[in-house]
Amino acid sequence: MSVRSLERAFELLEHLTDAGGEMAISELAEKAGLPMPTVYRLMQTMVARGYVRQEPSRRYSLGPRLIRLGEGASRLLGAWARPVLAGLVDRLGETANMAVLEGDEALYVAQVPSRHSMRMFTEVGRRVLPHCTGVGKALLAQLPEDGVRALLARTGMPARTPHTRTDPGALLAELAVIRERGYAMDDEEQELGVRCVAVPLPDAPALAAFSVSGPSGRMTPEAIETVVPVMRNAAEAFAAALART
């Protein structure tokens, strides 16, 4: 049996998230299809609990208490993903990662390293700007274009290597290609000598992606043709399992 007021509260939080974290009460009421007094009561309850903030402008934004919930959920998501990543390492031989979009950054929540002596290592909990990593671009490709533009305006596009894209228009064009073909690449854009392939997790409860990374000498175009189908199958199966949880 569902509790309607609780359902509505979660819907309002999701609308806030989808809008970039801040909305006016009239916008929330229109989006949710609810009367403004109902929205006001729900939002004020969440303000009192710290899950929502009311800004000086009177607009509502996501509250700091959600950070604790998000961190716990990210750790749990990473723990669930580890067996899948281990399977990718067994099949493909290279380091496998999972990342989620948290704020304006890609946050690594799980990794299983390659068994090669020369391998890639990214610390779980590390945050990176998404414009220059395969996993970051797989996350950005799941956002609408105006959301990507707003994010890039906030973060900028600093060059990590001579191969990093620093033009928003070029990145937006690449994201359109990523959406069409179903995977993203980092071709030595974050670190020289490293190539990464990433795929989104379709219909996952949060924006998330898997990536496989290794030295460019092993991650050749021929190898990538083999890597991508395996990764997409793993991502689709994992996302489906999450939906059933």
Side-chain angles (χ1 to χ4, degrees):
M1 180 184 297
S2 63
V3 179
R4 189 66 183 126
S5 60
L6 190 58
E7 286 182 345
R8 287 172 170 173
F10 284 130
E11 287 170 4
L12 292 171
L13 290 174
E14 289 174 356
H15 290 319
L16 271 177
T17 301
D18 292 342
E22 184 176 303
M23 294 178 77
I25 189 170
S26 58
E27 295 170 329
L28 280 164
E30 181 180 358
K31 194 74 174 176
L34 295 172
M36 280 212 291
T38 300
V39 174
Y40 177 77
R41 288 195 299 272
L42 290 168
M43 297 304 287
Q44 288 301 119
T45 299
M46 290 190 284
V47 167
R49 297 292 299 171
Y51 295 111
V52 170
R53 291 181 60 186
Q54 189 164 27
E55 304 296 339
S57 64
R58 310 304 294 171
R59 292 170 68 85
Y60 290 99
S61 63
L62 296 174
R65 199 162 185 180
L66 290 171
I67 295 172
R68 180 181 170 211
L69 297 182
E71 289 175 345
S74 294
R75 287 193 297 270
L76 185 58
L77 191 61
W80 287 340
R82 277 190 60 83
V84 182
L85 299 181
L88 288 174
V89 173
D90 287 341
R91 292 194 63 180
L92 303 174
E94 302 295 348
T95 297
N97 311 280
M98 181 182 183
V100 298
L101 189 65
E102 188 167 284
D104 292 340
E105 299 171 310
L107 169 67
Y108 288 92
V109 296
Q111 180 181 86
V112 175
S114 166
R115 298 182 183 88
H116 290 291
S117 57
M118 182 182 292
R119 62 190 180 189
M120 303 305 105
F121 179 78
T122 299
E123 183 178 335
V124 171
R126 182 186 179 194
R127 298 171 182 268
V128 296
L129 293 181
H131 71 285
C132 56
T133 62
V135 74
K137 287 188 279 188
L139 293 168
L140 291 181
Q142 300 176 66
L143 294 175
E145 184 174 306
D146 58 349
V148 176
R149 288 186 182 277
L151 184 152
L152 296 177
R154 293 189 295 268
T155 65
M157 296 179 66
R160 301 303 186 196
T161 78
H163 304 290
T164 306
R165 290 192 187 278
T166 57
D167 175 65
L171 179 60
L172 287 167
E174 184 181 1
L175 294 178
V177 173
I178 291 167
R179 295 184 191 103
E180 179 69 24
R181 72 187 181 189
Y183 70 93
M185 280 194 61
D186 156 15
D187 194 0
E188 302 190 17
E189 297 161 52
Q190 172 74 9
E191 186 176 346
L192 290 174
V194 176
R195 190 170 284 137
C196 173
V197 180
V199 297
L201 268 65
D203 302 318
L207 293 186
F210 286 159
S211 70
V212 167
S213 56
S216 300
R218 292 202 304 261
M219 292 287 284
T220 62
E222 294 76 19
I224 289 167
E225 288 183 7
T226 301
V227 164
V228 169
V230 175
M231 292 183 66
R232 292 180 72 172
N233 288 340
E236 289 168 5
F238 183 64
L242 286 178
R244 294 192 297 270
T245 301

